[in-house]
Amino acid sequence: MVLNKSSIKLAFLGCLLFLCGLATAADSNKDKLKQMLDGDSKSQASASIPDDFLTGHWIGMYDYDNRTADTPPANTFTMIMEKSPKGIYATILEPDLNPQFYAQIAKVINPKINGKKFSFTKMYNTGTTIEYSLEADLPSRVLYGTWSIKNGPSGIVQMGKIEVKDFQ
């Protein structure tokens, strides 16, 4: 089946709208995430992240610390990731806050796993980089943690792994 550009854009916009709806649900979990990041929850065992845990489709949201009137709104994203013996490869797609564009793409560079900790740098086509420091909640298929821009803003991030069986 061949899709023209308009069909692809409509499908993509539908996915983004779906993700935006999930961001609202994610906002309701922000206090819970803050508690987890502040250490109010019990830590998990220090086992390492299994190879198949990271591979797949992830959706998530990020928000800013120290919100002011000029702070951009929380945003959603989707990430496709593959962990293989050669490394971790991932691409991130998120709604663009600039109304002239509908999405922006970033790649994951310098991924590292240490026990249940997963860190990486997100790099946009513009060269802007953002550091992510996450922890895996294996039973819940969730990565949660913080993001930061050197000498700039920072905040929280949470993403969940989505599988076909979730829609069946």
Side-chain angles (χ1 to χ4, degrees):
M1 177 163 95
V2 178
L3 297 174
N4 62 27
K5 279 186 177 180
S6 296
S7 298
I8 293 171
K9 285 180 184 178
L10 284 174
F12 178 73
L13 276 173
C15 289
L16 288 179
L17 289 172
F18 174 72
L19 291 175
C20 288
L22 291 174
T24 303
D27 281 348
S28 68
N29 291 326
K30 195 184 312 183
D31 290 335
K32 183 178 174 185
L33 178 60
K34 278 264 194 215
Q35 288 174 348
M36 290 165 50
L37 295 175
D38 291 339
D40 291 344
S41 63
K42 295 179 182 175
S43 359
Q44 300 175 14
S46 62
S48 187
I49 298 172
D51 287 350
D52 63 344
F53 180 78
L54 293 176
T55 296
H57 185 179
W58 294 80
I59 60 170
M61 65 77 63
Y62 62 87
D63 201 359
Y64 294 77
D65 291 332
N66 305 318
R67 191 166 276 295
T68 67
D70 296 330
T71 303
N75 206 357
T76 59
F77 62 90
T78 184
M79 179 169 63
I80 305 296
M81 185 165 23
E82 180 182 4
K83 182 173 187 310
S84 72
K86 294 182 181 180
I88 298 171
Y89 306 94
T91 300
I92 299 170
L93 181 65
E94 64 187 64
D96 197 315
L97 298 175
N98 180 342
Q100 294 179 357
F101 305 101
Y102 59 87
Q104 56 185 333
I105 297 174
K107 63 182 174 179
V108 168
I109 59 174
N110 304 322
K112 295 177 182 65
I113 296 174
N114 183 6
K116 288 199 178 172
K117 306 278 186 192
F118 176 51
S119 62
F120 62 87
T121 302
K122 176 168 74 173
M123 187 166 87
Y124 292 103
N125 292 337
T126 62
T128 301
T129 59
I130 301 174
E131 300 299 321
Y132 281 74
S133 179
L134 307 170
E135 186 164 336
D137 179 343
L138 301 174
S140 299
R141 298 181 328 202
V142 170
L143 293 168
Y144 63 91
T146 60
W147 63 269
S148 63
I149 297 174
K150 187 175 183 175
N151 300 320
S154 62
I156 60 171
V157 64
Q158 179 177 352
M159 62 183 88
K161 187 173 183 179
I162 300 299
E163 297 179 358
V164 172
K165 67 181 180 182
D166 296 331
F167 297 100
Q168 295 176 334

